[in-house]
Amino acid sequence: MACAPYSLSITELKTAVESGTRKLLDGGSLRYCPPSAGGWGIIRVGLLVPESIMLFVSPAGCGRHGAIAGLQLGFRQRLFFLYVDEVDLVTGRHLERAKEAVEEILASISRPRAIMICATCIDDLLVSDYEKLAEEVENDYRIPVRACHMNPIAMDGKKPPQLTIQKAIHEFIPAVKQKEQAINMLGSFAAINRGSEFYELMAGAGVSPVRHIAACSTFDDLCSMGRSFYNVLIKPGGKLAAEYMAKALNIPYCYAPVSYGLEAIAASYRKLEEQLGISLDTAAYYEKTEKAINYYRKILGSISIAVGENINACPFELARALLSYGFEVPYIFTDQVLDIDRENINWLAERRPHIKVFTNAHPSMANFLDEKLKVDLAIGFDAGYFCSGAKTAALSMDCQAYGFEAANSLLKEMTLAMNNPHSHREQMYAAGLVL
Amino acid sequence: MRRIAIYGKGGIGKSTITSTLSAALSTMGYRVMQVGCDPKADSTITLTAGKTLTPIMDYLKEHGKCDSLEEITVQGFNGIVCVETGGPTPGIGCAGRGIITSFNVLDELGAYQVFNPDFVFYDVLGDVVCGGFALPLRQGYADEVIIVTSGEPMALFAAGNIKKALDNFAERDYAQLRGLILNLRNIEREEEIVYDFAERMGVPVFGIIPRDKNIQLYESRQQTVIEGDPALNISRSIMKLAEQIIDLGEAS
Amino acid sequence: MKGLYKYLPPFAPDYSGVCSVLFNLNGIVIIHDASGCTGNFTGYDEPRWYGSNAAIFSSGLREIEAVLGDDERLINRIMEAVERMPRNFVALLGSPAPAVIGTDMQALARILKARSGLPVLSFDTTGIKYYDTGASQAYLEIARNFVKPWNGKKQALVNILGAIPLDMGKGKRVRDIGLLLRQCGFSKVYAWGQNAGLKEISQAGAASLNLVVAYSGLAVARYLHEHFATPYMVGIPIGQGSTNQFMRTASSVLGLETPPRTTPYLLPPNTYAQALVIGEQVMAGSIRSFLRLDWGIRKVNVASFFAMDKELWEEGDKFLEEEDDLSSLCQKENYDLIIGDPLYENLLGANQGRFIHFPHVAVSSRLYWDNEPACVSKQLEGLSSKLKTPARRT
Ligand SMILES: Nc1ncnc2c1ncn2[C@@H]1O[C@H](COP(=O)(O)OP(=O)(O)OP(=O)(O)O)[C@@H](O)[C@H]1O
Ligand SMILES: [Mg+2]
């Protein structure tokens, strides 16, 4: 029954990436879905729009995980479902029924400021026009309405749902001519932690406020994002949103990613200096963080760490950071390889050619628990699941570290996990991950 | 029960020939059921004379579900059971999927047991364009396929495509191609062209239907030529075709 | 309006029902989907998924394949898995996307069977129907494919049918029922969908009795009755009265004496005048028996969003098609005791009666699956709350 789990050494991966591979699983196999798979999901991200509701139009089954996560995490009250049946599939009459549903919903709740209508895979295949539907509903009720898509069937295309949903939530923002010396942060689901030095640095450079959709408590706050003069994209998932805003709202952007390695963090700051035309004095933070790393490294010792992909980081960058802090990283669990990962893969391959890279999704992972991999700490629920004896730091998307504070908060979370471990299962189920 | 799907290029004469065949077989004493699988819902128009037949999709659009065969079938000329799948509102929904849904409705209501026909004809729109239009080929529906063609290049091209689809499905135990019906367009060397083609495909041509104005004449009265005047030449060639199709069953 | 759900989450879909039945049978199970459907099952409908090695996969369907009808790639991917991990059989399940393009699951199953030499089951699941339909079909399919012919003498063997976690929870209740059946003289107790593997299932023809514990087990019980003349009984023994009846009937099948009886615990008369049990029909009906026999409540109605069988139907029972159906039923009837999944509470209206929480995994998923109330052979326990006006949406 046993079969060795599919894996590549980081050296093999380096070669594969050089010849164009973008995924460990290049479409050639069935996909395993470990319990740790998933993230925020389309519904939860869509409901980041303040004072909004969402109408989810789909066969009954499609909305189940999102709805249960909504009950767990408290957004179910803003979520409505219209079930599509077989006759709808054939006749397309669910588009008309969606209008009726909106009418009935609006009659039963206090008026929302925005409505998101969400379609699924089946409407992709039927080429149903939800953008038109949104426009019609908007005209009927004079409430801003946008369409979004939970269509994993489009995952490998140019417009995968994780990216289009971030665009959709920013599509409510109206274009404003008069810009302020303020910026928006894109790509993350949470605003940058209050404790990050980022805010101080920006304020010192005359850039204020720093806006993010999750920090908007009203729909009007969201609209004010249109007044910012610049967008900072800190995670790749916000790319389509950034491109859209550059074009439609005349807000240029740059990519200055969340990173955990000191040099990478410094590089993001340098990029911001160049792009925003400001100067940021980060030297003191650099030094302070260097000290913090040494301090935590002493407390934790030379622990071994498995890195997953279900984390608030690029796995290869995180692995590199952890190695440079002085820890060992024998295993990485990930499927995707982004362009930005290449440099990190090369760096890792040079120093630790034997790092094993597994993919969460390969069918052989069904038997993975028999491997009984041993590490001290796992970062990410997926790594924690597959290395079942390890303590787990979730490094979740629910809060967003940035700048030097990212390294600090990572080390704090690692220490907490090592000293005060929680049940992986309970923690993971409480997170409401949706695939 | 013989279950035969009729395919062929759009406008080639599938519905005309299927209906006339149904009529012919019914006059020979067989119970016949004809299922039009086409959003145009015009397959059985020359059999239903006057009665209104609600296509299954239209019925579902209005009522959501269907609980009775009476709502979606009409017994037309000589008791022929007529069904039309119909299709969605143009531009939305999915016509191919509509055929699947319609067949499910017929199954659920036990149509084949209730009417217990000797012959079921599926008159399928144009080319095999998607899963839905291939549905009559699947196990549990038609066992035999007949393609209507003329000697025109586009008609033969379509016939070739249908053959290809069937070959692709070989591993799936789908319906078998039995042969071609040549519906003459009166182009030059037409019979020779079609016989050559049939030989290359390895199937027989049974039945050559001449072009005949009487077809349109009776069509305008919503009749088949069999109903209109069984003594006509055209009626007699269709009767002959019907006999061949009966023999085909007895031979196998 | 029809199909609009404002309060309840979507219930467990048909493909989850199939997967749940096949979970422990050591097959390779593939949902033909883009992964979201599989994620529903693995994350939200299967409490056993965590830590298991069940080979349940998503086909990883992508748009281009769907549009081109490229089934060959699916077949190749499955064959690759079959060759890598030897298992007992393959099952192929549909989801909304293949339902739209009309993928012919049966035909793919025939091809896979020819290429792999393994038994291949196929299911036309669509995600439109609920888990009970899928589970019911899956039970039938495994009976048709794996139960061996049997002409010998019947054995002290009982099959428990319908025992999937979506209805029965993680396993404690089924084990408790198993203990009772052993007391009745059954030496082999095989719960399909829980502890029974294919080897145990193959012997089903030798059973003296089949016990149906959920709607999903009914069709297969009838099938086994038809093919092996095995009698079946329906219901879960809850409380003393029902447990006595249950033990009497079960042991009589083996021609054994009834084990000692206990007396039901009766509430003071008129504590409750009329009760409603909302849930899967067999469980709800079993709770009804408990309320009658142990608590002396005469009028008890059953209402369900899931399939209901005529045989188990009583006057006043209601099949719920929409959320509104439940609200209006409660308004009309004024029950002073309601039992059901906690999530129904928002729909019960300003009733002043008592509401006993009895979670149903097919409804509330992981929200309560770690603390299922015990019930087999016991008084119904569970969190009980005074009903109050439901929270208004703002
Ligand atoms: N042998 C014939 N002689 C004269 N007219 C004919 C003959 N066959 C068909 N026609 C005429 O050709 C027209 C198209 O035929 P018909 O509707 O049967 O084609 P079809 O293949 O069913 O088309 P579609 O693909 O659109 O369903 C009809 O008006 C019919 O009268
Ligand atoms: Mg026609």
Side-chain angles (χ1 to χ4, degrees):
Chain A
M1 212 166 90
C3 62
Y6 176 83
S7 71
L8 294 178
S9 73
I10 191 91
T11 323
E12 289 166 329
L13 181 63
K14 179 179 172 230
T15 318
V17 168
E18 275 160 8
S19 61
T21 297
R22 287 293 168 273
K23 280 184 170 222
L24 266 79
L25 277 191
D26 249 350
S29 69
L30 302 173
R31 305 188 72 82
Y32 182 62
C33 306
S36 49
W40 265 45
I42 300 306
I43 296 177
R44 186 171 174 200
V45 178
L47 283 169
L48 280 175
V49 177
E51 301 179 86
S52 72
I53 60 164
M54 180 185 283
L55 175 63
F56 194 88
V57 184
S58 74
C62 305
R64 180 156 173 81
H65 39 18
I68 298 290
L71 284 160
Q72 279 185 279
L73 305 170
F75 55 82
R76 172 70 182 92
Q77 315 86 269
R78 291 162 59 206
L79 182 56
F80 300 85
F81 291 93
L82 179 66
Y83 297 160
V84 170
D85 64 20
E86 190 169 329
V87 178
D88 294 325
L89 285 188
V90 178
T91 60
R93 65 171 186 183
H94 54 295
L95 295 167
E96 280 306 310
R97 292 178 57 222
K99 289 186 198 164
E100 274 173 60
V102 171
E103 188 179 335
E104 188 174 320
I105 293 164
L106 292 180
S108 71
I109 58 169
S110 54
R111 190 176 162 88
R113 293 290 308 278
I115 302 175
M116 189 75 98
I117 303 182
C118 188
T120 63
C121 297
I122 57 157
D123 280 303
D124 266 31
L125 294 173
L126 296 172
V127 210
S128 311
D129 194 345
Y130 273 70
E131 280 63 31
K132 178 89 190 312
L133 172 71
E135 203 183 301
E136 286 172 11
V137 176
E138 175 161 333
N139 290 338
D140 287 350
Y141 300 99
R142 271 173 280 119
I143 297 175
V145 183
R146 298 292 179 271
C148 67
H149 302 265
M150 187 183 95
N151 52 345
I153 198 167
M155 201 94 90
D156 294 339
K158 291 240 156 31
K159 296 177 176 175
Q162 332 65 294
L163 270 75
T164 55
I165 186 60
Q166 295 209 34
K167 169 169 176 268
I169 55 180
H170 291 94
E171 279 174 2
F172 285 100
I173 302 169
V176 181
K177 272 225 179 77
Q178 203 63 40
K179 301 292 187 198
E180 299 167 352
Q181 203 45 20
I183 55 171
N184 302 321
M185 309 305 288
L186 298 181
S188 64
F189 301 143
I192 293 176
N193 295 339
R194 279 284 131 206
S196 169
E197 77 283 353
F198 180 76
Y199 293 104
E200 260 168 62
L201 287 168
M202 283 298 147
V207 176
S208 169
V210 173
R211 297 180 170 123
H212 183 275
I213 189 166
C216 299
S217 48
T218 64
F219 186 72
D220 294 329
D221 288 349
L222 174 63
C223 293
S224 74
M225 286 176 77
R227 299 208 294 266
S228 300
F229 85 104
Y230 203 80
N231 278 336
V232 182
L233 176 61
I234 63 169
K235 298 184 62 102
K239 186 152 182 285
L240 291 181
E243 284 170 0
Y244 162 80
M245 289 173 83
K247 219 167 145 194
L249 309 181
N250 196 21
I251 307 178
Y253 78 96
C254 76
Y255 181 52
V258 183
S259 312
Y260 293 87
L262 284 177
E263 295 316 319
I265 295 168
S268 278
Y269 275 127
R270 277 197 302 278
K271 190 147 183 197
L272 289 174
E273 288 183 308
E274 274 165 36
Q275 296 295 323
L276 299 175
I278 53 176
S279 94
L280 303 168
D281 188 4
T282 56
Y285 298 108
Y286 188 106
E287 275 165 38
K288 219 174 94 192
T289 311
E290 219 171 13
K291 284 197 188 112
I293 292 171
N294 289 332
Y295 167 77
Y296 282 112
R297 168 66 182 73
K298 272 206 198 95
I299 301 185
L300 291 169
S302 63
I303 54 173
S304 64
I305 304 170
V307 171
E309 71 179 334
N310 196 355
I311 52 173
N312 199 337
C314 294
F316 298 107
E317 197 277 326
L318 182 65
R320 175 176 176 173
L322 290 167
L323 276 174
S324 64
Y325 296 171
F327 302 109
E328 279 309 316
V329 179
Y331 309 116
I332 297 174
F333 296 83
T334 189
D335 191 32
Q336 284 242 48
V337 179
L338 302 173
D339 283 338
I340 46 171
D341 290 326
R342 281 179 175 224
E343 196 206 323
N344 296 318
I345 292 174
N346 292 346
W347 189 94
L348 291 168
E350 223 159 84
R351 285 160 186 83
R352 294 288 187 282
H354 301 300
I355 292 178
K356 263 190 171 183
V357 186
F358 299 97
T359 146
N360 288 327
H362 193 273
S364 58
M365 298 306 275
N367 293 319
F368 194 84
L369 295 181
D370 299 346
E371 299 291 306
K372 305 223 176 337
L373 281 198
K374 287 257 170 316
V375 288
D376 299 307
L377 179 70
I379 298 184
F381 285 127
D382 47 353
Y385 180 70
F386 286 121
C387 303
S388 51
K391 289 157 182 161
T392 304
L395 197 63
S396 96
M397 309 280 186
D398 298 3
C399 68
Q400 189 58 55
Y402 191 75
F404 291 103
E405 190 255 345
N408 275 289
S409 66
L410 167 68
L411 287 157
K412 256 182 236 160
E413 193 176 339
M414 286 165 55
T415 313
L416 208 66
M418 287 303 289
N419 296 339
N420 191 10
H422 289 280
S423 146
H424 174 270
R425 181 177 176 278
E426 269 166 39
Q427 238 186 316
M428 191 200 77
Y429 277 135
L433 305 177
V434 164
L435 183 64
Chain B
M1 181 163 59
R2 304 251 322 263
R3 301 173 299 187
I4 303 170
I6 310 285
Y7 280 84
K9 178 186 157 321
I12 195 69
K14 295 179 295 294
S15 301
T16 310
I17 290 176
T18 312
S19 304
T20 323
L21 257 179
S22 293
L25 287 162
S26 77
T27 57
M28 298 157 93
Y30 292 101
R31 282 186 306 275
V32 185
M33 177 167 167
Q34 181 168 329
V35 184
C37 307
D38 183 335
K40 291 197 298 294
D42 63 351
S43 171
T44 57
I45 203 156
T46 52
L47 295 171
T48 49
K51 298 187 196 165
T52 27
L53 171 55
T54 312
I56 300 178
M57 288 320 305
D58 289 15
Y59 189 86
L60 290 179
K61 253 182 268 175
E62 196 168 329
H63 303 275
K65 61 177 184 200
C66 179
D67 295 320
S68 150
L69 281 172
E70 272 164 39
E71 307 289 351
I72 49 163
T73 57
V74 151
Q75 307 228 359
F77 172 70
N78 249 347
I80 296 170
V81 179
C82 302
V83 184
E84 295 283 355
T85 62
T89 317
I92 50 176
C94 174
R97 189 73 212 345
I99 294 183
I100 300 179
T101 304
S102 302
F103 276 46
N104 288 343
V105 169
L106 290 175
D107 274 345
E108 280 160 23
L109 297 176
Y112 303 99
Q113 290 86 315
V114 171
F115 297 115
N116 192 23
D118 302 308
F119 285 91
V120 184
F121 287 105
Y122 301 99
D123 171 14
V124 192
L125 162 138
D127 225 324
V128 180
V129 285
C130 73
F133 293 96
L135 187 80
L137 303 176
R138 290 189 189 175
Q139 219 187 32
Y141 298 108
D143 309 304
E144 306 166 57
V145 177
I146 294 176
I147 301 175
V148 180
T149 187
S150 68
E152 292 161 308
M154 286 318 287
L156 294 172
F157 177 72
N161 274 343
I162 293 153
K163 170 83 162 68
K164 253 185 237 155
L166 286 167
D167 291 345
N168 279 339
F169 292 147
E171 236 184 317
R172 299 185 174 199
D173 275 341
Y174 278 8
Q176 295 291 318
L177 179 57
R178 301 308 293 257
L180 308 179
I181 292 174
L182 169 52
N183 192 18
L184 285 174
R185 273 299 167 96
N186 296 339
I187 64 165
E188 235 172 279
R189 296 178 35 241
E190 189 162 20
E191 292 187 24
E192 192 187 325
I193 292 172
V194 173
Y195 273 93
D196 273 1
F197 178 81
E199 201 180 309
R200 264 180 283 131
M201 290 215 298
V203 292
V205 178
F206 33 76
I208 298 180
I209 313 293
R211 271 203 94 67
D212 193 319
K213 283 205 188 93
N214 286 304
I215 287 188
Q216 277 91 356
L217 175 68
Y218 290 104
E219 201 176 69
S220 66
R221 300 183 195 164
Q222 296 199 4
Q223 288 180 341
T224 60
V225 285
I226 299 281
E227 183 179 3
D229 184 354
L232 290 171
N233 262 347
I234 178 77
S235 303
R236 272 191 272 144
S237 46
I238 299 265
M239 291 297 275
K240 222 172 88 197
L241 177 63
E243 272 157 21
Q244 263 179 292
I245 285 176
I246 295 165
D247 291 347
L248 209 60
E250 273 153 18
S252 61
Chain C
M1 74 177 272
K2 192 167 176 297
L4 178 63
Y5 274 65
K6 300 185 205 163
Y7 298 96
L8 295 171
F11 306 134
D14 50 7
Y15 46 77
S16 285
V18 176
C19 289
S20 194
V21 170
L22 304 179
F23 189 80
N24 269 340
L25 301 181
N26 201 29
I28 294 181
V29 178
I30 302 108
I31 303 181
H32 193 24
D33 79 324
S35 73
C37 308
T38 308
N40 253 334
F41 172 70
T42 58
Y44 289 81
D45 288 333
E46 185 48 82
R48 298 171 295 186
W49 187 245
Y50 191 100
S52 86
N53 66 356
I56 297 180
F57 305 116
S58 162
S59 68
L61 176 66
R62 292 293 176 265
E63 196 155 51
I64 189 70
E65 265 175 81
V67 172
L68 297 178
D70 186 355
D71 295 335
E72 194 58 29
R73 288 176 63 173
L74 169 66
I75 291 170
N76 290 340
R77 276 180 283 194
I78 297 175
M79 286 307 297
E80 194 209 89
V82 166
E83 278 150 25
R84 225 173 210 281
M85 36 174 62
R87 302 257 173 160
N88 294 331
F89 65 96
V90 176
L92 185 57
L93 282 64
S95 78
V100 170
I101 55 172
T103 306
D104 188 348
M105 295 294 168
Q106 278 90 326
L108 297 183
R110 286 196 292 275
I111 296 174
L112 281 166
K113 188 172 172 201
R115 295 203 197 163
S116 70
L118 290 174
V120 182
L121 316 182
S122 68
F123 298 93
D124 276 324
T125 42
T126 60
I128 291 173
K129 292 185 177 141
Y130 294 142
Y131 78 102
D132 47 344
T133 340
S136 178
Q137 236 182 310
Y139 275 125
L140 267 177
E141 280 302 300
I142 54 176
R144 288 192 187 123
N145 283 277
F146 301 116
V147 175
K148 291 205 197 106
W150 181 264
N151 300 312
K153 206 170 148 287
K154 294 285 186 190
Q155 302 182 352
L157 186 167
V158 54
N159 299 300
I160 303 180
L161 306 171
I164 49 174
L166 283 163
D167 282 323
M168 290 295 283
K170 288 200 289 189
K172 169 96 174 68
R173 290 174 188 160
V174 183
R175 285 193 297 278
D176 288 348
I177 295 175
L179 289 178
L180 292 180
L181 289 165
R182 277 171 203 283
Q183 286 173 41
C184 293
F186 288 93
S187 54
K188 295 176 179 172
V189 181
Y190 298 148
W192 294 26
Q194 298 259 10
N195 71 350
L198 281 189
K199 197 170 137 253
E200 287 77 25
I201 286 174
S202 70
Q203 306 166 35
S208 303
L209 178 68
N210 288 324
L211 173 66
V212 176
V213 295
Y215 170 89
S216 64
L218 264 178
V220 69
R222 288 176 184 145
Y223 172 90
L224 294 170
H225 176 71
E226 195 180 307
H227 287 77
F228 303 99
T230 315
Y232 63 91
M233 79 193 219
V234 182
I236 298 149
I238 300 176
Q240 305 305 346
S242 286
T243 306
N244 289 339
Q245 278 185 2
F246 176 90
M247 307 271 288
R248 210 180 308 130
T249 318
S251 39
S252 74
V253 171
L254 297 178
L256 297 174
E257 243 175 66
T258 314
R261 301 169 54 172
T262 43
T263 19
Y265 164 78
L266 284 170
L267 287 183
N270 304 327
T271 309
Y272 299 110
Q274 41 180 336
L276 174 68
V277 188
I278 316 158
E280 184 281 319
Q281 199 186 15
V282 173
M283 177 60 89
S286 306
I287 294 175
R288 160 156 58 201
S289 303
F290 160 74
L291 296 177
R292 280 187 185 144
L293 297 175
D294 282 26
W295 283 7
I297 308 174
R298 240 174 275 136
K299 178 171 168 182
V300 186
N301 295 147
V302 164
S304 182
F305 285 96
F306 304 104
M308 295 175 86
D309 191 87
K310 278 204 191 97
E311 198 180 304
L312 310 176
W313 184 280
E314 289 188 19
E315 169 125 25
D317 288 357
K318 177 132 181 87
F319 172 63
L320 305 166
E321 256 179 301
E322 307 295 333
E323 279 184 345
D324 298 345
D325 292 348
L326 181 54
S327 314
S328 41
L329 177 69
C330 291
Q331 248 161 42
K332 204 175 91 203
E333 295 288 344
N334 216 11
Y335 298 106
D336 51 8
L337 174 66
I338 300 179
I339 298 173
D341 190 279
L343 296 186
Y344 294 135
E345 190 156 1
N346 272 324
L347 294 164
L348 304 181
N351 197 308
Q352 283 310 300
R354 188 165 284 275
F355 181 49
I356 297 182
H357 290 187
F358 193 83
H360 185 192
V361 177
V363 175
S364 53
S365 170
R366 55 163 74 158
L367 296 181
Y368 313 100
W369 72 24
D370 282 339
N371 34 24
E372 61 187 51
C375 64
V376 172
S377 81
K378 292 193 181 68
Q379 293 294 318
L380 196 66
E381 59 176 51
L383 299 168
S384 125
S385 70
K386 268 278 191 212
L387 284 180
K388 49 186 187 307
T389 320
R392 290 218 162 271
R393 283 172 176 275
T394 47

